[in-house]
Amino acid sequence: EERVVVVSTELARLLRLPPEVALFATDSQPVPLDLISGETKLGDLVAQALSSRPELMRETARVEAANDRVQQEQWRPWLPNVHVGMSSGGFGGGANSSFGRFSDRTDLDALAVWQFRNLGFGNKSLQDERDSQHRQAYLDFEATRDQVTAEVTRIWQQVHSRHRQIKQAGEAVTSAAGAVPLNFEGIRGRELRPIEAQQAITVLAAARNEYLAAVVSYNQSQFALLRSIGKPPVASPETASR
């Protein structure tokens, strides 16, 4: 009971619910959850992950920003710095210490300056630096993309493998459950010893534990697959029509 309360509190924190909210399972035991249909193709999930994962969006933005800086340095030597100034006021003057002939005056100045750093070699160095940063950003993007693709593929394989484990564990439970009454019949007919019935019950309990472990593992892989693609899968037109 203490463990249930602790887990409930942690889950409420993750869901940003009030701490006094008590969460509990409606099922008496874990059941398989199909958050993503097993018929969904791996390629569709990978494509959705590549378009939805936030880290890929981040790396894409970095590549675009680096590309803008490359273009900026390529155009920098050929685009002048434009300065515009304006001055006005009263001006006057005269010979020696005589001041006169005051009148208003307005000046408008426009200046265009082209800058070539170190005879252009400095600009070339900046262009090479920006180009290197762009390549680094693109390599980071490719590494993240490959990581996301491998993650979705690995978890997709786990989902299908653990689904088969549930089926096999269920068959083992059915077989062990069928052996228990046969052992009791053998005991009543004095063909078996009581310890053999106890062994059959132990085997049944172990099979049920294996089944529950397989279900929990499958559900965890389903949640992991849902997280790996960034958002709930988009149903194809064929799936929606069915």
Side-chain angles (χ1 to χ4, degrees), residues 36 45-46 48-50 52-56 147-156 221-231:
I36 298 178
L45 296 177
V46 171
Q48 182 170 336
L50 295 180
S52 303
R53 289 285 290 268
E55 56 266 44
L56 281 171
Q147 181 179 358
V148 169
T149 301
E151 180 181 349
V152 174
T153 303
R154 172 178 55 83
I155 300 176
W156 184 83
S221 64
Q222 279 280 339
F223 277 106
L225 184 59
L226 182 63
R227 189 209 65 83
S228 69
I229 63 177
K231 62 181 181 181

Side-chain angles (χ1 to χ4, degrees), residues 56-66:
L56 281 171
M57 298 179 183
R58 176 197 62 199
E59 297 301 332
T60 300
R62 288 180 177 177
V63 172
E64 294 176 352

Side-chain angles (χ1 to χ4, degrees), residues 67-190:
N67 184 60
D68 291 341
R69 287 192 291 268
V70 170
Q71 296 180 359
Q72 180 183 19
E73 292 301 330
Q74 291 176 347
W75 284 100
R76 185 186 298 275
W78 313 109
L79 297 178
N81 295 320
V82 179
H83 302 273
V84 178
M86 181 177 179
S87 60
S88 63
F91 292 86
N96 299 324
S97 60
S98 176
F99 289 91
R101 302 177 61 185
F102 284 92
S103 63
D104 294 335
R105 175 179 175 177
T106 301
D107 294 323
L108 178 63
D109 302 323
L111 184 65
V113 179
W114 284 264
Q115 182 180 19
F116 294 90
R117 299 185 178 182
N118 298 331
L119 300 178
F121 293 104
N123 297 97
K124 183 62 170 59
S125 298
L126 286 175
Q127 292 173 4
D128 293 340
E129 180 181 358
R130 295 293 185 261
D131 187 63
S132 175
Q133 293 174 351
H134 177 261
R135 291 197 301 269
Q136 292 175 9
Y138 187 75
L139 290 175
D140 291 339
F141 166 78
E142 287 189 329
T144 304
R145 181 188 60 189
D146 295 341
Q147 181 179 358
V148 169
T149 301
E151 180 181 349
V152 174
T153 303
R154 172 178 55 83
I155 300 176
W156 184 83
Q157 296 289 354
Q158 288 179 346
V159 167
H160 286 265
S161 175
R162 293 174 182 180
H163 186 268
R164 293 192 298 268
Q165 292 177 5
I166 291 178
K167 182 179 179 181
Q168 296 174 357
E171 294 174 351
V173 171
T174 302
S175 177
V180 173
L182 295 177
N183 278 270
F184 279 106
E185 291 180 3
I187 294 174
R188 296 188 187 97
R190 299 183 180 276

Side-chain angles (χ1 to χ4, degrees), residues 12-48:
R13 182 189 68 83
L14 294 175
L15 298 176
R16 297 195 174 187
L17 299 175
E20 63 273 9
V21 173
L23 301 175
F24 57 90
T26 57
D27 299 309
S28 59
Q29 64 180 17
V31 295
L33 299 177
D34 292 324
L35 302 177
I36 298 178
S37 174
E39 299 179 358
T40 306
K41 296 181 180 179
L42 175 60
D44 295 338
L45 296 177
V46 171
Q48 182 170 336

Side-chain angles (χ1 to χ4, degrees), residues 186-229:
I187 294 174
R188 296 188 187 97
R190 299 183 180 276
E191 298 176 357
L192 298 176
R193 295 174 298 173
I195 191 173
E196 297 183 22
Q198 181 180 358
Q199 293 173 349
I201 295 174
T202 302
V203 171
L204 176 59
R208 287 176 174 172
N209 288 334
E210 290 293 333
Y211 177 79
L212 290 178
V215 170
V216 172
S217 179
Y218 174 76
N219 292 345
Q220 290 174 342
S221 64
Q222 279 280 339
F223 277 106
L225 184 59
L226 182 63
R227 189 209 65 83
S228 69
I229 63 177

